[in-house]
């Protein structure tokens, strides 16, 4: 069949979301109050439909095998499924955001008094349309096989979020954070676009498989990779790291997370991060045709980014008294942890003979994919709870004092917060515990012992500020300066996230397997021929004996 | 029943009962106690059934759980594990009863307390029985969580919460180190459980040592080894039932237990084992006992003696690395662990009980024995337990201490002489301090009979009170349970000490079948025989007792020496959050967009040099032989150069001019100059697009500027560095652009795009468009009239050869061809976007919205929105960030942020 049609046939979920977004946008402007309030339902329906499309999509083998770190189709299905699932929860907790704006309330009130409805005052349509568009972009990132495609997908993920941040709260802070977010985002986009251009210049193609072929040819003939390619890759990785809020592109995170409404912040913490990591997996895939020696600059770059992200994130998180900023820095730190998995994956792919199948904790990509979901659930719960607490000034809860005694004032929210935070620390039986074992295990498997030790030290530092959140919720006198108001939708969304965090921690086998399958190498034959450790008694001894200790 | 499920149920029984208890109505105190008692009872019953069926050496039972994460329900029900499990559930049962007496019939407290306690019990049972590494970690961290909840009991007391956090941070950080260690051990040896590891054996290579060190760090943190011990005295902020449970028999023993699990596997293989553990344990043992002597608060005294005893246990496992007469120096040595639980739990229980009715401060307890009521029996039980602490003859403790001294004695050959005697002195000193503590307790409680004028220091004793003051003096059976659990536990001390044969038959024989032990049994446990043939260990005991009594009576070393580690954690915390943190990181996150952009630009330039730093010469090789201007028209070149200079000039001017409007005009100049360049190089359509965009964006700028308030001019900071940075960024971009367009790629046959002779992108485009075609072969008329079959130009078909090299596009102009043929969809998209933007501008021009403050709380963006033309000043970064060219990185004057990095607070 026509390759174009082939490709299009894998895009039903995205097209569904796109259509949903258009309908939302129109419905939000309707003169009828009932239709005007429908965008959240439209968004929910289109998300469900998209999920159905993903679930029923035949996982066709991608055209180009051997090009990527992982098979594109499997990865795409996993990521799209995760986006749909977490997206539905995000929609639940964000369903009230536009209604809480004073513009909306005033516009509706004016209509109720018999005045003329002012469509400009109501943001519902735009908000949910942008919500869907951003999810659509993240899904497109997962299916990208081309740099240009990737660029468009990444921007489609990010651009709507700028608007969502600006319109999520009627506070100057929201707009300021949106402005910062936009400028830094545009700059990051310029950086990675430049990187893409250089990669194109060096390899002559924007398609992953052709880039991979080029790198493979270079590597096979023993030539060094062109410096231009390395610079391009470095710039691309650094630019994309804006989406995952890793150092040195992390600056926006704290300011933006603080400025945006809680549900939108949860959105920012999950959707662009997922898109960014999936893009990184895709970008690094072709480069991994080279050997580890040739990729040294990139591997070191990732290493430094991981260490700095963890350390900067956790240290700055320690210094905050604003819980949203704390969670923002924790988001930076978690990107650092996930980069550890990515490094393991790159190390595995570039080291001949290393086992990449996920059976022995070895697969960094699988660990990363698993952790993305783990992190998404936990952070969603935490921000949802924060969004439920308002101060006397009508502002969202920000400081530790604002959430003081939440456990007593609203036990359910308290428990959700507790579970979310414990999962973020990585304590059992929450899913974060398994996620961390998986991530760090994959890095250790490839000899990155010091990296893991740094990561573990960082987890210990992070425990301090996470515990302060628990301490504020459970061990402090209830603060009567704040109100706790929970809508059923938010409660449901946060509760499902929290229950998910526990359930996946206790019985996450399915998700682990799914992540492992999603991260399976594109060509099954590769696994077969890889020297798997023998099962007999003599060879129990270090199957990784030649794995030297690396930083 | 499947033995694995049986063990799983035994582990989960307490937490299930705890959860069930939460469902009971709050008023039903009796039911709640019954339900909570059921937890440990069920656990013990299930364990008992298990032992009946499988014995004490049942081995490993496993059920797959999450195999790809190496997580299995795999239990190792050997003597050590089962012993611990019985100890945890047995003492747990008594603590449940004690807690009822301690809290009184206070529904709220019990409602909170029992579930937390039972959760902890489950976690601890899990630690004791888990064989799989990940499963062990899971339970291990659960003990940290539940102990955090228990220690931070007094939630209205900030200092108590801080102490709980301190305990959690230290033990939790240790747990994380252990996680790294266990995962490393697992991936290095491919064994994911202790039993597999034991079967496979370990070699003393570097990775195993690193893994061991990490695991041991976790164990040492949990078992309060110096210098990480400070969390344990701090954890005395917990209510006494918690201290009696966690800090005597269970949680702090987890580290010791883990070391015990490891020693048969690693002690002999790793040279570092004795060298690390013996000195650390010995130091902890002496230090803890020494500080304990200085304290006056009962719980603090017992906390520090616990530290001391934990050091002793660690030291003992360190000594287990040596052999004595070809026998291991040690089998599990549960005697020592059991002994400690059997005197320390009663000590804590009674400390709480006495604090409950009087005070925990020694000076206020003078003559407490004679105060009547329950004072006499409480003092008695306390002193019995303290006698155990002193390892007086006739207790199990005495036997255990003799064991320890024997171990030291047996290591005589293995340890170099001076160090051996240091170790002997450490053992004696520890014994001496413990005896002295007993003597002082005895003297205070019994011999000092002067009336202290003491009124009930009840409230004081509870440090903030947990709200049971009103019903603290209830009647009935429950008050007696303040001391009954203690009495029950301590009685085993004397059974073990006075009837060693009986004790051995019923207890030790099952769990510690040491050939060494049994060979020595007659002489070792029989005091009379022992006295007749004194060896060094007995002499050590004697010396310790004699010196201890003297020291106890002497008025020295009382409250003189404070533990400097008390300030370790608060000091560290203050250092990080108040001093170092803000200093080091405050400048990074200022909430200022300009500084963020500066950082990004710096890191980008840095990365460029860094990624070439690996091979700078390679870059030089990329540089082509010479840059040739392929034009024969001098005017084209001159004009081009002039326009380029103009573009560069605008870039330089942009940061220099300060007025917003001027900047917009400068930008416009830049845009129009670029348009002219396009036109010059025969791209009129692109020029048209560009000029439209320029006009639209200029209008948009002016519109926006009319809406944002005037900006006061600000002084420029850091001018020179900014200039340097700008030049660097510009230089890097210039270099990269030039190189990427000129790069000569090595031929790569696999790429369709590269067949033919085109080796650069520019050449590719040129060759595939009319402009670059040799018109001798392809007359222009033929190409433009469409006579040439376009299909043969399709890239990638691979059929055309050098002679038939044909243009891919039929147009006459390279830019046109690229735009229309190669990038037709792009162009359509561009046109669409442009049209949309124009419509937007048109709408805006029709109705200029006013950015008033209706929906914005007055922020730093100001509120004096001006009309058209009322713009002045300009937020540098706000203008345009297409690519980070120098003009952007040096922009300044962004409004002061409303969202700034908050100053830290404690």
């Amino acid at each position: 069949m026509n390759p174009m049609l082939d490709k299009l046939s894998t895009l039903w979920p995205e097209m569904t979301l796109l259509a949903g977004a258009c309908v939302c946008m129109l419905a939000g402007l309707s003169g009828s109050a009932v239709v005007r309030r429908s965008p959240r339902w439209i968004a929910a329906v289109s998300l469900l439909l998209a999920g159905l499309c993903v679930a029923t999509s035949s996982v066709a083998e991608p055209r180009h095998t051997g090009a990527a770190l992982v098979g594109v189709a499997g990865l795409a299905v996993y990521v799209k499924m995760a986006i749909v699932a977490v997206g539905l929860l995000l929609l639940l907790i964000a369903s009230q955001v536009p209604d809480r704006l004073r513009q909306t309330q005033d516009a509706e009130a004016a209509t109720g008094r018999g005045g003329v409805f002012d469509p400009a005052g109501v943001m519902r349509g735009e908000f949910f349309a942008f919500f869907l568009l951003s999810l659509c972009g993240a899904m497109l990132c997962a299916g990208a096989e081309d740099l240009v495609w990737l660029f468009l997908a990444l921007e489609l993920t990010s651009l709507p979020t700028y608007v969502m941040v600006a319109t999520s709260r009627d506070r100057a802070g929201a707009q300021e954070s949106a402005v910062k977010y936009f400028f830094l985002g545009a700059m990051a986009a310029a950086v990675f676009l430049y990187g893409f251009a250089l990669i194109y210049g060096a390899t002559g193609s924007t398609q992953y498989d052709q880039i991979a072929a080029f790198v493979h040819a270079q590597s096979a003939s023993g030539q060094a990779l062109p410096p231009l390619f390395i610079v391009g890759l470095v710039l691309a990785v650094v630019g994309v790291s804006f989406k995952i809020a890793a150092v040195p592109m992390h600056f926006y995170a704290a300011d933006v997370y603080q400025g945006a409404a809680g549900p939108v912040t949860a959105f920012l913490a999950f959707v662009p991060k997922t898109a960014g990591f999936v893009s990184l997996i895709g970008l690094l895939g072709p480069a991994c045709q080279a050997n580890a020696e040739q990729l040294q600059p990139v591997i070191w770059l990732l290493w430094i980014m991981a260490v700095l992200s963890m350390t900067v994130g956790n240290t700055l998180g320690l210094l905050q008294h604003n819980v949203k900023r704390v969670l923002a820095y924790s988001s930076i730190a978690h990107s650092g942890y996930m980069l550890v998995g990515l490094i393991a994956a790159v190390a595995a792919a570039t080291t001949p003979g290393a086992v990449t199948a996920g059976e022995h904790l070895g697969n960094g990509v699988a660990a990363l994919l698993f952790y993305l979901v783990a992190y998404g659930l936990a952070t969603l719960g935490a921000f949802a709870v924060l969004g439920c607490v308002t101060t006397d000034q009508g502002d969202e809860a920000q400081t530790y004092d604002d959430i003081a005694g939440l456990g007593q004032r609203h036990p359910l929210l308290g428990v959700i917060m507790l579970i979310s935070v414990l999962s973020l620390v990585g304590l059992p039986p929450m899913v974060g515990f398994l996620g961390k074992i998986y991530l760090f295990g994959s890095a250790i498997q490839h000899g990155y012992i010091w990296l893991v030790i740094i990561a573990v030290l960082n987890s210990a530092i992070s425990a301090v500020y996470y515990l302060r959140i628990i301490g504020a919720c459970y061990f402090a006198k209830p603060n009567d300066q704040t109100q706790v108001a929970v809508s059923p939708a938010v409660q449901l969304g946060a509760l499902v996230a929290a229950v998910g965090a526990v359930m996946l921690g206790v019985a996450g086998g399915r998700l682990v397997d799914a992540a492992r399958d999603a991260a399976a190498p594109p060509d099954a034959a590769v696994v077969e021929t890889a020297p798997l450790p023998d099962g007999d008694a003599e060879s129990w001894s270090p199957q990784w004996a030649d794995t030297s200790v690396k930083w | 029943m499947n033995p694995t499920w049986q063990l799983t149920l035994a582990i989960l029984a307490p937490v299930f009962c705890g959860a069930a208890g939460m469902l009971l109505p709050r008023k039903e105190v009796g039911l709640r106690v019954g339900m909570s008692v059921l937890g440990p009872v069920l656990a013990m019953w299930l364990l008992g059934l298990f032992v009946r069926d499988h014995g004490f050496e049942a081995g490993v039972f496993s059920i797959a759980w999450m195999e790809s994460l190496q997580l299995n329900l795999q239990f190792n029900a050997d003597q050590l594990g089962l012993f611990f499990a019985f100890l945890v559930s047995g003492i747990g049962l008594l603590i449940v009863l004690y807690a009822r007496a301690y809290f009184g019939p206070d529904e709220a407290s019990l409602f909170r307390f029992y579930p937390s306690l039972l959760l902890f019990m489950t976690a601890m049972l899990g630690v004791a029985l888990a064989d799989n590494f990940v499963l062990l970690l899971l339970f291990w961290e659960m003990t940290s969580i539940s102990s955090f909840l228990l220690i931070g009991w007094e939630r209205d007391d900030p200092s108590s919460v801080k102490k709980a956090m301190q305990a959690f941070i230290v033990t939790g950080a240790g747990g994380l180190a252990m996680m790294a260690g266990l995962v490393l051990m697992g991936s290095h040896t491919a064994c994911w459980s202790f039993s597999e590891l034991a079967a496979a054996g370990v070699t003393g290579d570097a990775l195993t040592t690193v893994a061991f060190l990490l695991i041991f760090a976790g164990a040492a943190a949990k078992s309060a080894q110096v210098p990480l011990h400070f969390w344990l005295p701090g954890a005395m902020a917990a209510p006494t039932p918690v201290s009696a449970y966690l800090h005597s028999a269970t949680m702090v023993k987890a580290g010791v237990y883990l070391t015990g699990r490891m020693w048969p596997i690693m002690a002999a293989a790793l040279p570092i084992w004795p060298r690390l553990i013996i000195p650390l344990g010995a130091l902890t043992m002496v230090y803890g006992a020494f500080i304990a002597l200085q304290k006056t608060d009962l719980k603090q005294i017992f906390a520090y003696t616990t530290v001391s005893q934990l050091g002793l246990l660690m030291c003992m496992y360190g000594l287990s690395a040596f052999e004595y007469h070809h026998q291991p120096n040690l089998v599990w040595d549960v005697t020592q662990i059991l002994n400690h639980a059997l005197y320390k739990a009663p000590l804590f229980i009674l400390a709480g009980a006495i604090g409950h009715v009087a005070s925990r401060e020694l000076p206020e307890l003078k003559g407490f024995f004679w105060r009547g009521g329950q004072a006499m029996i409480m003092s008695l039980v306390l002193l019995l337990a303290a006698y155990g602490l002193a390892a007086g003859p006739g207790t199990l403790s005495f036997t255990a201490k003799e064991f320890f001294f024997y171990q030291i004695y047996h290591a005589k050959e293995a340890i170099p002489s001076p160090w051996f005697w240091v170790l002997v002195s450490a053992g004696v000193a520890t014994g001496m301090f413990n005896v002295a503590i007993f003597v002082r307790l005895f003297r205070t409680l019994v011999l000092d009979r002067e009336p202290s004028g003491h009124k009930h220091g009840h409230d004081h004793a509870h440090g903030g009170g947990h709200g049971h003051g009103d019903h603290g003096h209830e009647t009935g059976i429950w008050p007696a349970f303040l001391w009954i659990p203690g009495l029950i536990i301590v009685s085993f001390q004397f059974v073990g000490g006075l009837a060693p044969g009986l004790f051995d038959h019923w207890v030790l024989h099952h769990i510690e079948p040491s050939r060494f032990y049994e060979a020595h049994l007659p002489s070792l446990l029989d005091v009379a025989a022992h006295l007749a043939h004194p060896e060094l260990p007995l002499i050590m005991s004697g010396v310790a007792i004699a010196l201890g009594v003297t020291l106890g009576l002497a008025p020295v070393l009382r409250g003189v020496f404070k533990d400097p580690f008390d300030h370790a954690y608060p000091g560290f915390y203050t250092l990080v959050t108040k001093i170092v943190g803000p200093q080091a990181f405050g400048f990074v996150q200022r909430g200022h967009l300009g500084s963020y952009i500066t950082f990004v630009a710096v890191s980008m330039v840095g990365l460029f040099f860094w990624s070439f730093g690996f091979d700078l010469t390679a870059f030089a090789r990329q540089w082509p032989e010479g840059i040739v201007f392929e034009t024969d028209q001098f005017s084209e070149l001159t004009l081009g150069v002039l326009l380029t200079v103009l573009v560069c000039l605008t870039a330089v001017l942009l940061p220099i001019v300060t007025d917003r409007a001027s900047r917009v005009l400068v930008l416009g100049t830049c845009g129009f100059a670029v348009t002219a360049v396009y036109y010059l190089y025969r791209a009129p359509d692109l020029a048209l697009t560009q000029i439209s965009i320029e006009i639209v964006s200029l209008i948009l700028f002016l519109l926006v500027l009319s809406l944002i308030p005037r900006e006061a001019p600000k002084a420029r900071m850091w001018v020179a560095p900014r200039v340097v940075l700008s030049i660097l960024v510009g230089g890097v971009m210039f270099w990269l652009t030039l190189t990427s367009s000129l790069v000569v790629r090595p031929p790569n046959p696999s790429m369709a795009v590269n067949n033919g002779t085109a080796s650069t992108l520019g050449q590719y485009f040129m060759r595939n468009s009319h402009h670059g075609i040799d018109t001798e072969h392809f007359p222009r008329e033929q190409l433009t009239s469409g006579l040439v079959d376009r299909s043969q130009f399709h890239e990638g078909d691979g059929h055309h050869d050098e002679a038939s090299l044909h243009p891919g596009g039929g147009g006459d102009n390279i830019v046109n061809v690229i735009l229309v043929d190669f990038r037709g969809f792009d162009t359509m998209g561009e046109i669409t976007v442009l049209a949309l933007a124009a419509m937007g501008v048109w709408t805006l021009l029709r109705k200029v919205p006013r950015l008033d403050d209706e929906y914005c709380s007055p922020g730093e963006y100001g509120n004096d929105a001006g009309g058209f033309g009322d713009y002045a000043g300009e937020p540098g970064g706000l203008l345009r960030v297409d690519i980070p060219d120098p003009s952007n990185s040096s922009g300044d004057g962004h409004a002061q942020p409303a969202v700034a990095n908050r100053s830290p607070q404690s």
Side-chain angles (χ1 to χ4, degrees), chain A residues 101-178:
Chain A
L101 294 175
R102 273 178 287 161
Q103 290 99 304
T104 311
Q105 288 165 3
D106 289 358
E108 292 290 351
T111 322
R113 285 194 302 269
V116 182
F117 171 63
D118 174 19
V122 180
M123 301 286 181
R124 287 195 204 97
E126 289 90 333
F127 183 83
F128 291 107
F130 285 139
F131 185 97
L132 291 180
L133 283 177
S134 183
L135 290 180
C136 175
M139 285 189 174
L140 284 172
C141 286
E145 293 175 10
D146 187 290
L147 291 179
V148 178
W149 177 307
L150 181 65
F151 171 70
L152 293 174
L154 277 171
E155 287 312 283
L156 183 59
T157 315
S158 278
L159 284 172
T161 57
Y162 305 143
V163 187
M164 284 167 70
V165 169
T167 56
S168 66
R169 283 168 65 207
D170 39 21
R171 291 283 179 278
Q175 288 163 18
E176 180 186 325
S177 58

Side-chain angles (χ1 to χ4, degrees), chain B residues 830-851:
Chain B
E830 280 167 16
I831 294 170
T832 316
V833 170
L834 190 67
L836 281 174
M839 280 166 64
V841 172
W842 180 58
T843 327
L844 285 175
L845 282 175
R846 279 175 61 222
K847 176 190 170 190
V848 179
R850 305 278 297 208
L851 184 76

Side-chain angles (χ1 to χ4, degrees), chain B residues 737-760:
Chain B
T737 312
L738 205 57
T739 330
S740 63
S741 60
L742 295 172
V743 64
V744 182
R745 273 182 293 111
N748 181 357
S750 74
M751 254 176 287
V753 76
N754 197 29
N755 54 17
T757 55
S759 58
T760 71

Side-chain angles (χ1 to χ4, degrees), chain B residues 520-535:
Chain B
H520 285 73
L521 190 62
S523 62
L524 196 69
L525 295 184
D526 187 343
V527 179
H530 209 47
L531 283 173
H533 308 282
E535 283 179 293

